[in-house]
Amino acid sequence: MTHDFTPWLAWLDEQHQQMLDGTLELAEINSGTLNHVGVNRVGEALARLCQPLGGEVEIIPVAPYQHLNSQGELDQFPLGDAVRIRKRPEAPLQVFLCGHMDTVFAVDHPFQQVRWLDEDTLNGPGVADLKGGLMVMINALMALERSPWADQIGWEILFNPDEEIGSPSSAALIADAAERVHLGMIYEPSFPDGNLAGERKGSGNFSVVVRGKAAHAGREHHLGRNAIRAMADFIAALDDLNGQREGVTINPGFIEGGGAVNIVPDLCISRFNIRLERVEDEAWCQQHLDRLLAEINDRDGISIELHGGFGRKPKKLSGANQKLFELARDCGAELGMSIAWLPTGGCCDGNNLAAAGIPNIDTLGVRGGKIHSADEYMFVSSLTERAKLSALILMKLATSTDRGWLGES
């Protein structure tokens, strides 16, 4: 049986200004991850914008973020609350929709203003990543709710507050949702041409503390144990692991230590990131990390500690995920879009959901680019086109009698 989805898709044409206004409202609220007050303001705005959907709203506090400071001690920072909205948990098909409220731009970052670059290009903090995507999600659901097939789909939204730091505190909420849902739709920005991210690398974030012994650099240099030198040796050996295993990249990204140059430095802090293509790569990396740590710890008067770990598994495409991408491609073709999916080294909450066995598309948001920089932009016309794409995917799922593919491994 064929269905005519045109009336409900056409309704989205009328919502363009409302989606743009919502994007501007959200982007003008600073919601750098550690600005929990700003993140909560975004959450309050989203709860209001979602009122017409009629779902059950929950405000969920999450655990504070732990961060190793320059003294080698763990600081705690409060995070904004997560917002969860659910409707029809008894429906035969359950869909998880996710978008983060935080951005990478702290409250004191110079990039705070939205401006037009041309009539279709908006520059601003979070316009693409992913406040525009939040409006796409909400309006796609509104189109579904207006349709006669809404009762076939139950949905669960998670607006999480900490994706830009790896979702350490909201990961448990994603895993919890995975116990209830059949598939996921996540609203990270697509590539500028509208293509989707397919396979993704896994990621781990680590911090290292080296402690030595301070001494006068002239009178008693021989009594000191230089923490910076030990850290430099560790980082050099760590970086040398690059190229030794296919698909694994290690990026030492930060180092801090020392002070007055007439004192042998007794403390040094470093941070690094590891990306990998296969789950089994984690064990290889951990084995080499353990070896390097042991070599430094064997030095007289030197100690080294490792903090952090692998927070996101690689996202591989299951048979179900492949079918979901094919559905998106076919829906795009009906709407005049040419859609493909491409592997990427980036990570997002789609990694978390895939690790729990849930097929998902994680770049259903607006078309945009240069994210995580002051040049971040979105194509405003993509608000409507991407809302139509998600709405059509949802309505096709609601009217399909073949859902057996959702269990394909």
Side-chain angles (χ1 to χ4, degrees), residues 156-180:
E156 177 170 337
I157 296 173
L158 178 67
F159 298 125
N160 57 333
D162 59 343
E163 192 278 337
E164 293 294 8
I165 56 172
S167 303
S169 297
S170 62
L173 298 175
I174 298 171
D176 177 55
E179 297 290 326
R180 297 184 290 271

Side-chain angles (χ1 to χ4, degrees), residues 5 8-9 12 93 95-97 136 140-141 143-144 147 149 152-153 183-187 194 196 320-321 323-335 337 339 341 359-365 385-400 402-403 405-406:
F5 304 110
W8 296 277
L9 295 174
L12 286 165
L93 183 65
V95 179
F96 177 71
L97 302 99
V136 167
L141 280 176
L144 172 70
S147 80
W149 309 290
Q152 292 300 303
I153 290 183
L183 62 93
M185 302 173 71
I186 296 175
Y187 286 82
L196 306 171
N321 223 132
K323 293 285 181 62
L324 186 57
F325 275 118
E326 291 168 1
L327 174 61
R329 178 196 61 198
D330 295 344
C331 288
E334 289 188 33
L335 296 167
M337 307 175 198
I339 293 177
W341 46 97
N360 66 88
I361 298 177
D362 57 33
T363 40
L364 286 167
E385 69 183 44
R386 303 297 284 191
K388 285 184 175 181
L389 177 63
S390 280
L392 186 54
I393 291 170
L394 287 165
M395 288 188 283
K396 292 264 192 180
L397 288 166
T399 55
S400 174
D402 176 20
R403 295 173 184 157
W405 55 269
L406 285 166

Side-chain angles (χ1 to χ4, degrees), residues 22-233:
T23 302
L24 292 169
E25 176 187 356
L26 297 176
E28 287 169 355
I29 302 172
N30 177 276
S31 57
T33 307
L34 299 186
N35 178 14
H36 66 282
V37 174
V39 173
N40 284 340
R41 285 182 59 202
V42 170
E44 291 164 4
L46 289 170
R48 171 175 48 81
L49 290 166
C50 287
Q51 283 179 352
L53 292 172
E56 179 185 348
V57 180
E58 297 175 78
I59 307 300
I60 306 173
V62 300
Y65 172 57
Q66 291 193 331
H67 176 76
L68 195 72
N69 65 25
S70 60
Q71 302 304 310
E73 301 166 343
L74 286 173
D75 286 335
Q76 289 195 342
F77 297 92
L79 295 172
D81 299 326
V83 180
R84 182 165 63 195
I85 308 176
R86 298 181 66 194
K87 190 170 186 179
R88 289 187 296 275
E90 75 288 346
L93 183 65
Q94 296 293 316
V95 179
F96 177 71
L97 302 99
C98 184
H100 62 85
M101 299 179 287
D102 60 325
T103 73
V104 299
F105 305 107
V107 70
D108 57 352
H109 194 283
F111 185 43
Q112 301 288 343
Q113 300 299 315
V114 178
R115 64 190 180 103
W116 290 89
L117 301 181
D118 59 47
E119 62 182 12
D120 191 40
T121 312
L122 193 65
N123 163 243
V127 291
D129 188 20
L130 51 55
K131 291 176 178 179
L134 296 174
M135 298 309 301
V136 167
M137 176 209 294
I138 293 167
N139 282 269
L141 280 176
M142 286 184 180
L144 172 70
E145 290 297 313
R146 294 171 63 87
S147 80
W149 309 290
D151 63 344
Q152 292 300 303
I153 290 183
W155 47 261
E156 177 170 337
I157 296 173
L158 178 67
F159 298 125
N160 57 333
D162 59 343
E163 192 278 337
E164 293 294 8
I165 56 172
S167 303
S169 297
S170 62
L173 298 175
I174 298 171
D176 177 55
E179 297 290 326
R180 297 184 290 271
V181 302
H182 298 100
L183 62 93
M185 302 173 71
I186 296 175
Y187 286 82
E188 296 289 339
S190 71
F191 294 114
D193 59 6
N195 285 329
L196 306 171
E199 291 191 342
R200 289 182 177 272
K201 284 190 171 187
S203 177
N205 291 318
F206 300 84
S207 298
V208 184
V209 183
V210 173
R211 299 184 189 278
K213 182 179 180 182
H216 191 286
R219 181 178 298 177
E220 296 181 327
H221 182 272
H222 62 289
L223 297 180
R225 298 294 182 267
N226 194 309
I228 291 178
R229 169 57 194 265
M231 182 68 82
D233 292 343

Side-chain angles (χ1 to χ4, degrees), residues 236-287:
L238 181 70
D239 191 62
D240 284 344
L241 296 176
N242 282 304
Q244 294 190 27
R245 189 172 175 92
E246 184 179 356
V248 174
T249 56
I250 302 173
N251 183 55
F254 175 88
I255 187 168
E256 179 179 27
V261 294
N262 62 351
I263 301 173
V264 176
D266 63 353
L267 179 67
C268 190
I269 311 292
S270 180
R271 310 186 204 283
F272 62 94
N273 173 263
I274 300 179
R275 300 288 167 123
L276 38 80
E277 292 181 350
R278 297 171 296 274
V279 173
E280 55 268 29
D281 293 337
E282 289 187 10
W284 182 88
C285 292
Q286 192 63 58
Q287 177 185 356

